[in-house]
Amino acid sequence: MELKIECIPTGEIIRVVNHDGDTMCPNCKNAPAIDGIRITMESALTARDRVGVQDFVLLENYTSEAAFIENLRKRFKENLIYTYIGSVLVSVNPYKELEIYSKQHMERYRGVSFYEVSPHIYAIADNSYRSLRTERKDQCILISGESGAGKTEASKKILQYYAVTCPASEQVETVKDRLLQSNPVLEAFGNAKTLRNDNSSRFGKYMDVQFDYKGAPVGGHILNYLLEKSRVVHQNHGERNFHIFYQLLEGGEEDLLRRLGLERNAQNYQYLVKGQCARVSSINDKSEWKIVRKALSVINFNDDDVEELLSIVASVLHLGNVQFAKDEQGNAQVTTENQIKYLARLLSVDSTVLRESLIHKKIIAKGEELNSPLNQEQAAYARDALAKAIYGRTFSWLVRKINKSLSYKGADMHSLGNASVIGLLDIYGFEVFQHNSFEQFCINYCNEKLQQLFIELTLKSEQEEYESEGIAWEPVQYFNNKIICDLVEEKYKGIISILDEECLRPGEATDWTFLEKLEDTVKNHPHFVTHKLGDQKTRKCLGREEFRLLHYAGEVNYSVKGFLDKNNDLLFRNLKEVMCNSGNPIVHQCFDRSELTDKKRPETAATQFKNSLAQLMEILMSKEPSYVRCIKPNDAKQAARFDEVLIRHQVKYLGLIENVRVRRAGFAYRRKYEIFLQRYKSLCPETWPNWDGRAMDGVAVLVKSLGYKPEEYKMGRTKIFIRFPKTLFATEDALEVRKQSIATFLQSRWRGYHQRQKFLHMKHSAIQIQSWWRGTVGRRKAAKRKWAVEVVRRFVKGFIYRNQPRCPENEYFLDYIRYSFLMTLHRNMPKSVLDQSWPVPPPSLREASELLREMCMKNMVWKYCRRISPEWKQQLEQKVVASEIFKDKKDNYPQSVPRLFLNTRLGNDEINTKILQQLENQALTYAVPVVKYDRKGYKPRRRQLLLSQNAAYLIEEAKLKQRIDYANLTGISVSSLSDNLFVLHVKCEDNKQKHQVYCRSR
């Protein structure tokens, strides 16, 4: 048996094989439910003491900031980084990889009701997609949070979810790839390392993903907001310029860098060393370069486009290395001609004109255009302004180029007409630094507008839900930050209008005059204060060049230094002319020649941002919003570290407590009748196990059985509304008790049923095996009997025809006889050459038998001979000679045959040297000790018998006793007995020679 259980809060699917008793989730040690009961989001309430609640709306003390943060801490400690506030997702950056983004996880959230699974970014993505498909209304997902909180990663996860789960085709796959690959390109050109984040987005991005009528992504469009152009020319200590500069230097091919006039060392470029951290151990620029190059090809950049784009990037680096010096009149002069030549080549402009444009500006005097020399400081300003303008406009061109590659190109007008979009807003969060300038002012103004929109849409959706369900709407008290938005954007009286007025008015306008104008105009506003307007306590923490705004998220001090320059964002006219004449196609597109003839002053940076923000608000108001609030747990980017002070600050400026309060102003919990009844029907005997009537009636019976008080709940048209979390918690606790009892009952029943089914299965299997085996044995026996009958029949017939020539009737018998004889011969082969046994062959094999016997004997002889050693061979040869001499002549010869001949020969060392000297001319062939017997009395005497080529010698120690020439030897006699005697017979011509010599070998 296999149980499949979903564990909440971890969201893991636990598979238990051969389940016997309780099983715990390996990740959270949470006891699972019984098999067959799907655990929904509410099941996590039973684990709330350890891992908190999954929806902050269910907090008992919902107005307490401490309770909110403690719930966040509990979940973060258990790697539960996602929590809801109603339909708003709060995400805490874990600063480590979590195994919750696989394709299997995507499938779990695909098409599932929002509250049926644990909180996740995929749940937000899927809910927006299903609303788009079912309600045919455009959606948007607003992702906010400070730098390093994980906004960019959240938008990537959403795009990846759509890329995997949406319908696909060849064209759709291309669009998916381009949507995903646009991210690394925009990050390379728009992101940078800051003190708080190694990959901080330094621009706001809104992306529309376009879907056709089938629900497949078929296109997209990106809007960018307020690129931090000042970073191109200046970075704070510990920060870097935009990634693309370092990626190009680290990863660019040698040939490419040579063409661009660049060196691989970032320390050689002034715009890259302001922050004094060109190299960062946590960033692999070389690897990122490869990703960006691949991404550029995916989003339809050809080699020429890439070359032209990188030429602009390189030109910014060279521009930063242009240096100036004063001449005698105090006017600026260019001292780095090499950099001018590189710039002229990369931007395809005239080097002389470019040099002159950097040290002069055009002015109109008495209706005539004149070139006015710039001093050294002004020339540096013009250089930096040009660098910012080139990079900023190139970034905008890059976004337009990406939009062109993402635009819908389908020929099916029907699908185009029914297309819908999901917008993704990844924009900078509220920023409060030690030093806050114009960029932080615009960013925080944007967050004020988004907070205003967020509260309005949240209240609007709450009110619409109450009205649709027939529940009386109770007005909610909340902080309306419209007063702050008006302070910034109000026409004629707002800070932006005053800043524009100060930039445009004649006379000497400075940042100080702007601050003074602010103090005169908005001095009575409750959310504005300066050093001059503040009390004694305020003046201690507010500089004379600063003003303070009381935002919804807290107080922020802004330094007015640089406000006018950054708002004007001026580029001298002659530098614009040079860029308009550029031969680089991208630069030529970025600098429109119509700017030279347009007498209307261009809008300031703040006004442009205010207008684009107003357009963004219109876009968002036209769509159904979803929200993702990202939180950074610590500034050190360390996993498992929870900085409560930092998080409390983010909770405040994200307005999360305010959001919970708005959601809890009415009812904390609401669910459709069908879902509520399905979950809690086991708590009432009348609704368990099935309710046959309307779900609404069933819920009414259920809540009556549970003892709900009238003030604790309301019945809407399709939903039940529960006011207090404690009411829901009590119901959940009762459900848990009921679930355990049901689990125990079902487990016992299941075990009995399982064992019974197991027994029946085994019994059935045994019967099947037995019947199969009996059949197999019977078939084998029948086949064997049939074979035996056939063999006997053929054998009998063969025996009858055995004497006939070979024919079909006797061939089996004859073959068997041959086979039988050969097998008998095989078993009874002679074991040695002396073994004369041989089986009697049948008449038909007598000739073959004789041949085989002869071959066998020869083979045994051959094998025997191969085994004979030289010593043994010598013995045999001697035995043959002995046989020829003694066979049938000596009585004991047969007994002596098995005995081996002994080597009794004497060596030279055993013969006396005097004898050897006497016989020096005689070569001895044989020497042996003997016993010589006297003829009279046969007295034995020990002697040595020496044989040479001519004579035999009898030796007694050192004395030669007798020489017997072979010429005088007439014979040798031996007895027929076993006495070892032999007699040498000699001629009797010499009286000294005896007729006979009796000897016995020793």
Side-chain angles (χ1 to χ4, degrees):
M1 179 182 68
E2 179 179 89
L3 301 182
K4 295 182 180 179
I5 303 171
E6 180 180 358
C7 176
I8 303 296
T10 65
E12 294 291 334
I13 293 293
I14 311 166
R15 286 177 172 82
V16 184
V17 181
N18 296 329
H19 177 67
D20 187 14
D22 292 336
T23 302
M24 307 297 284
C25 172
N27 290 337
C28 73
K29 303 299 183 288
N30 193 36
I34 60 172
D35 186 37
I37 298 181
R38 178 174 177 79
I39 304 180
T40 61
M41 173 187 168
E42 288 87 346
S43 298
L45 297 174
T46 60
R48 60 185 176 272
D49 291 337
R50 188 175 60 78
V51 297
V53 295
Q54 296 193 21
D55 193 334
F56 285 109
V57 174
L58 297 176
L59 284 174
E60 189 67 30
N61 191 5
Y62 67 92
T63 59
S64 169
E65 187 179 77
F68 186 98
I69 293 176
E70 181 59 27
N71 189 68
L72 208 59
R73 184 204 304 275
K74 286 180 179 179
R75 298 182 62 74
F76 181 74
K77 185 179 178 182
E78 298 293 330
N79 289 327
L80 304 174
I81 64 172
Y82 296 119
T83 313
Y84 289 137
I85 303 176
S87 59
V88 177
L89 181 70
V90 178
S91 170
V92 183
N93 192 340
Y95 286 121
K96 63 180 179 181
E97 292 294 329
L98 297 178
E99 300 297 326
I100 58 173
Y101 301 108
S102 64
K103 189 174 181 180
Q104 290 75 16
H105 280 84
M106 293 182 184
E107 290 299 328
R108 284 186 53 230
Y109 285 87
R110 183 179 182 180
V112 179
S113 179
F114 189 73
Y115 293 106
E116 283 190 11
V117 284
S118 54
H120 202 289
I121 191 73
Y122 293 158
I124 294 289
D126 186 75
N127 190 58
S128 296
Y129 180 73
R130 284 189 293 111
S131 298
L132 175 80
R133 298 282 292 144
T134 57
E135 300 174 13
R136 308 305 299 174
K137 185 174 182 181
D138 291 348
Q139 306 288 313
C140 64
I141 301 175
L142 281 65
I143 307 171
S144 61
E146 74 168 54
S147 179
K151 301 185 300 296
T152 302
E153 286 300 314
S155 65
K156 287 181 185 177
K157 299 300 182 190
I158 293 172
L159 287 176
Q160 288 168 1
Y161 179 80
Y162 292 145
V164 171
T165 60
C166 292
S169 65
E170 185 175 345
Q171 179 184 351
V172 169
E173 288 298 329
T174 302
V175 173
K176 287 180 180 179
D177 289 342
R178 289 179 180 176
L179 284 169
L180 293 174
Q181 293 302 321
S182 64
N183 273 320
V185 175
L186 291 175
E187 287 180 14
F189 284 84
N191 289 22
K193 181 203 178 304
T194 64
L195 292 173
R196 297 184 175 183
N197 184 6
D198 287 348
N199 189 33
S200 176
S201 298
R202 307 318 298 162
F203 70 105
K205 179 180 71 173
Y206 175 78
M207 172 186 283
D208 269 335
V209 182
Q210 189 177 24
F211 296 84
D212 64 9
Y213 72 100
K214 298 177 183 178
V218 293
H221 188 270
I222 298 171
L223 297 175
N224 63 296
Y225 300 96
L226 194 67
L227 177 71
E228 189 185 19
K229 293 186 293 185
S230 61
R231 182 168 293 272
V232 174
V233 300
H234 175 77
Q235 308 93 44
N236 294 326
H237 183 77
E239 297 189 347
R240 298 207 311 176
N241 211 320
F242 293 104
H243 293 322
I244 186 62
F245 296 113
Y246 308 95
Q247 292 171 0
L248 174 59
L249 295 182
E250 285 293 326
E253 300 81 4
E254 292 293 341
D255 185 54
L256 173 63
L257 295 181
R258 186 166 54 254
R259 291 199 306 273
L260 299 178
L262 297 176
E263 298 175 7
R264 206 169 284 283
N265 188 2
Q267 300 293 335
N268 295 338
Y269 300 97
Q270 294 300 313
Y271 282 164
L272 302 185
V273 296
K274 299 292 179 69
Q276 298 181 2
C277 80
R279 286 185 177 274
V280 182
S281 60
S282 58
I283 300 177
N284 189 336
D285 292 309
K286 190 172 184 179
S287 174
E288 294 297 326
W289 167 257
K290 295 178 182 178
I291 295 174
V292 172
R293 285 292 285 114
K294 180 182 177 181
L296 285 170
S297 62
V298 172
I299 58 177
N300 215 20
F301 273 67
N302 58 37
D303 291 342
D304 291 340
D305 292 334
V306 173
E307 187 80 14
E308 292 158 5
L309 181 61
L310 296 179
S311 294
I312 296 174
V313 174
S315 70
V316 173
L317 295 178
H318 288 299
L319 194 56
N321 283 359
V322 173
Q323 301 297 319
F324 304 98
K326 296 179 182 178
D327 62 9
E328 295 176 355
Q329 289 78 31
N331 299 326
Q333 297 294 326
V334 175
T335 61
T336 49
E337 284 297 326
N338 269 348
Q339 303 301 327
I340 297 295
K341 292 178 181 178
Y342 278 130
L343 279 168
R345 180 169 61 81
L346 293 171
L347 298 176
S348 299
V349 297
D350 185 272
S351 60
T352 304
V353 175
L354 177 60
R355 184 194 314 105
E356 291 302 313
S357 298
L358 286 171
I359 57 177
H360 293 87
K361 71 174 180 178
K362 284 187 176 180
I363 59 173
I364 299 177
K366 298 181 181 180
E368 294 183 4
E369 283 190 355
L370 301 175
N371 282 329
S372 172
L374 300 177
N375 59 33
Q376 190 174 356
E377 183 179 350
Q378 291 170 333
Y381 172 84
R383 174 200 64 199
D384 292 346
L386 179 60
K388 291 188 290 184
I390 290 174
Y391 194 85
R393 297 191 185 201
T394 301
F395 185 80
S396 298
W397 174 88
L398 180 64
V399 173
R400 292 195 299 271
K401 177 74 173 178
I402 293 174
N403 285 336
K404 186 177 179 181
S405 75
L406 293 177
S407 62
Y408 182 70
K409 302 177 179 65
D412 187 352
M413 296 306 295
H414 173 69
S415 61
L416 179 62
N418 287 276
S420 301
V421 298
I422 295 179
L424 292 176
L425 179 64
D426 172 9
I427 204 161
Y428 14 63
F430 200 86
E431 290 189 350
V432 184
F433 299 136
Q434 192 72 25
H435 176 80
N436 301 290
S437 187
F438 179 76
E439 290 83 6
Q440 282 68 47
F441 171 75
C442 293
I443 287 171
N444 293 341
Y445 162 53
C446 173
N447 277 271
E448 286 286 355
K449 294 291 288 182
L450 290 174
Q451 176 68 8
Q452 183 183 25
L453 177 72
F454 174 57
I455 294 296
E456 287 179 1
L457 292 180
T458 301
L459 286 174
K460 180 182 176 183
S461 64
E462 284 282 291
Q463 187 172 1
E464 287 177 351
E465 184 176 19
Y466 278 50
E467 290 175 355
S468 66
E469 291 293 326
I471 305 293
W473 171 252
E474 301 173 6
V476 177
Q477 296 298 323
Y478 66 96
F479 172 68
N480 189 344
N481 67 335
K482 183 176 183 301
I483 185 173
I484 304 174
C485 296
D486 290 343
L487 170 63
V488 175
E489 67 184 7
E490 188 177 6
K491 199 170 185 180
Y492 305 123
K493 297 180 182 179
I495 294 176
I496 292 178
S497 295
I498 296 170
L499 179 61
D500 286 351
E501 182 180 341
E502 198 64 15
C503 289
L504 300 176
R505 75 176 178 84
E508 191 67 28
T510 64
D511 296 325
W512 288 99
T513 61
F514 163 62
L515 181 60
E516 291 171 358
K517 188 70 174 288
L518 279 179
E519 290 173 337
D520 292 340
T521 308
V522 294
K523 59 184 177 182
N524 296 322
H525 198 286
H527 291 267
F528 176 84
V529 66
T530 64
H531 185 277
K532 178 180 177 181
L533 300 175
D535 54 23
Q536 191 67 29
K537 183 179 179 181
T538 303
R539 291 177 181 178
K540 290 181 180 180
C541 55
L542 191 63
R544 294 181 181 278
E545 77 286 355
E546 294 179 334
F547 66 91
R548 175 181 295 170
L549 293 184
L550 279 68
H551 291 281
Y552 77 93
E555 300 174 348
V556 183
N557 297 344
Y558 298 100
S559 172
V560 297
K561 185 178 180 181
F563 258 61
L564 264 64
D565 285 340
K566 292 176 181 179
N567 188 46
N568 273 322
D569 196 20
L570 291 178
L571 182 65
F572 293 148
R573 180 185 178 87
N574 50 342
L575 288 174
K576 282 186 181 179
E577 288 180 355
V578 174
M579 294 300 105
C580 288
N581 293 324
S582 170
N584 185 304
I586 298 177
V587 176
H588 190 72
Q589 294 176 47
C590 291
F591 291 86
D592 192 350
R593 188 169 292 277
S594 62
E595 294 182 34
L596 302 176
T597 57
D598 188 0
K599 303 236 174 152
K600 183 180 177 181
R601 186 181 178 93
E603 289 183 337
T604 61
T607 299
Q608 289 179 26
F609 184 67
K610 183 180 77 170
N611 294 338
S612 61
L613 198 56
Q615 294 174 2
L616 176 63
M617 293 300 113
E618 290 180 9
I619 292 172
L620 299 180
M621 287 292 288
S622 68
K623 294 176 170 57
E624 191 71 27
S626 298
Y627 302 94
V628 178
R629 297 291 194 238
C630 298
I631 292 178
K632 180 168 66 173
N634 59 78
D635 277 327
K637 293 169 276 191
Q638 294 179 355
R641 180 178 169 185
F642 192 89
D643 188 337
E644 186 172 330
V645 174
L646 177 64
I647 290 174
R648 181 180 290 110
H649 173 71
Q650 295 175 80
V651 167
K652 182 178 180 182
Y653 77 62
L654 285 172
L656 300 183
I657 301 295
E658 186 78 3
N659 187 14
V660 174
R661 203 174 64 79
V662 168
R663 288 281 300 185
R664 280 291 299 274
F667 296 88
Y669 176 87
R670 64 211 69 179
R671 286 293 182 275
K672 287 187 176 293
Y673 290 130
E674 293 80 7
I675 297 174
F676 189 85
L677 181 61
Q678 178 64 27
R679 176 158 184 78
Y680 300 110
K681 64 181 180 179
S682 62
L683 298 178
C684 176
E686 298 177 46
T687 57
W688 176 259
N690 293 306
W691 175 260
D692 296 329
R694 293 191 309 162
M696 181 178 181
D697 297 335
V699 171
V701 172
L702 177 58
V703 296
K704 183 179 179 181
S705 175
L706 292 172
Y708 282 14
K709 296 177 182 179
E711 65 272 13
E712 292 180 333
Y713 75 99
K714 290 287 184 184
M715 301 286 285
R717 292 189 176 95
T718 64
K719 296 179 182 179
I720 179 173
F721 290 74
I722 298 177
R723 188 178 298 276
F724 305 115
K726 63 181 181 181
T727 305
L728 179 64
F729 294 160
T731 305
E732 274 296 322
D733 292 339
L735 178 63
E736 185 63 22
V737 173
R738 175 64 173 164
K739 191 190 300 179
Q740 290 176 359
S741 64
I742 294 175
T744 303
F745 172 75
L746 289 180
Q747 284 175 356
S748 63
R749 292 293 298 272
W750 172 252
R751 289 191 187 102
Y753 172 78
H754 176 65
Q755 292 299 326
R756 174 68 178 167
Q757 293 299 314
K758 184 178 180 181
F759 167 74
L760 292 176
H761 179 71
M762 291 174 64
K763 182 180 178 181
H764 175 73
S765 299
I767 293 172
Q768 289 288 97
I769 292 171
Q770 287 173 352
S771 63
W772 176 84
W773 179 247
R774 289 193 188 101
T776 300
V777 171
R779 285 189 292 272
R780 287 180 181 176
K781 287 182 178 180
K784 190 173 183 179
R785 286 195 297 269
K786 182 178 179 181
W787 172 81
V789 169
E790 183 65 25
V791 170
V792 172
R793 181 184 295 113
R794 293 172 65 187
F795 193 85
V796 170
K797 185 178 286 188
F799 180 77
I800 295 172
Y801 289 91
R802 67 186 181 279
N803 296 323
Q804 301 294 326
R806 186 180 183 87
C807 61
E809 285 77 11
N810 64 8
E811 61 180 358
Y812 175 77
F813 179 80
L814 296 178
D815 289 342
Y816 175 78
I817 293 299
R818 291 189 181 93
Y819 171 78
S820 179
F821 169 72
L822 292 175
M823 292 304 296
T824 302
L825 179 61
H826 172 70
R827 291 190 294 268
N828 300 283
M829 290 284 288
K831 301 298 187 293
S832 69
V833 293
L834 300 178
D835 186 0
Q836 298 298 317
S837 63
W838 191 262
V840 179
S844 59
L845 293 178
R846 286 173 185 166
E847 183 180 355
S849 175
E850 290 302 322
L851 291 173
L852 289 173
R853 185 171 188 175
E854 182 181 353
M855 289 171 60
C856 178
M857 185 58 65
K858 288 182 178 180
N859 184 54
M860 288 191 294
V861 171
W862 177 76
K863 287 183 179 179
Y864 181 80
C865 292
R866 284 191 62 186
R867 294 197 301 268
I868 293 176
S869 64
E871 294 80 9
W872 186 246
K873 182 178 180 182
Q874 185 179 6
Q875 285 279 346
L876 291 179
E877 289 174 346
Q878 291 174 356
K879 288 291 182 180
V880 170
V881 174
S883 176
E884 293 175 355
I885 296 173
F886 300 115
K887 187 176 180 182
D888 299 330
K889 295 179 181 179
K890 288 184 72 70
D891 292 343
N892 66 339
Y893 175 73
Q895 288 79 21
S896 67
V897 170
R899 294 166 57 188
L900 298 178
F901 290 115
L902 299 178
N903 187 8
T904 57
R905 290 190 179 188
L906 297 175
N908 288 343
D909 56 338
E910 296 178 279
I911 303 172
N912 194 283
T913 54
K914 291 181 179 181
I915 300 300
L916 292 175
Q917 289 174 0
Q918 292 177 22
L919 302 175
E920 60 180 356
N921 294 327
Q922 298 290 330
L924 296 179
T925 59
Y926 189 78
V928 66
V930 296
V931 178
K932 188 247 182 188
Y933 293 92
D934 292 342
R935 285 177 296 171
K936 294 179 180 181
Y938 295 101
K939 184 178 181 178
R941 298 181 189 276
R942 293 183 178 275
R943 298 285 188 269
Q944 292 178 341
L945 178 62
L946 307 182
L947 302 180
S948 67
Q949 294 291 335
N950 302 316
Y953 303 93
L954 283 174
I955 308 299
E956 180 183 6
E957 295 181 357
K959 184 178 180 180
L960 179 62
K961 296 295 290 181
Q962 187 175 357
R963 171 188 170 102
I964 303 172
D965 293 325
Y966 294 153
N968 297 327
L969 188 63
T970 61
I972 301 175
S973 299
V974 296
S975 72
S976 60
L977 303 177
S978 56
D979 49 15
N980 294 336
L981 288 176
F982 66 94
V983 178
L984 300 178
H985 300 273
V986 296
K987 294 178 180 180
C988 194
E989 296 174 357
D990 187 358
N991 292 329
K992 294 182 181 180
Q993 296 282 357
K994 297 144 177 98
H995 291 292
Q996 295 173 334
V997 180
Y998 299 92
C999 298
R1000 183 169 64 89
S1001 63
R1002 292 163 58 188

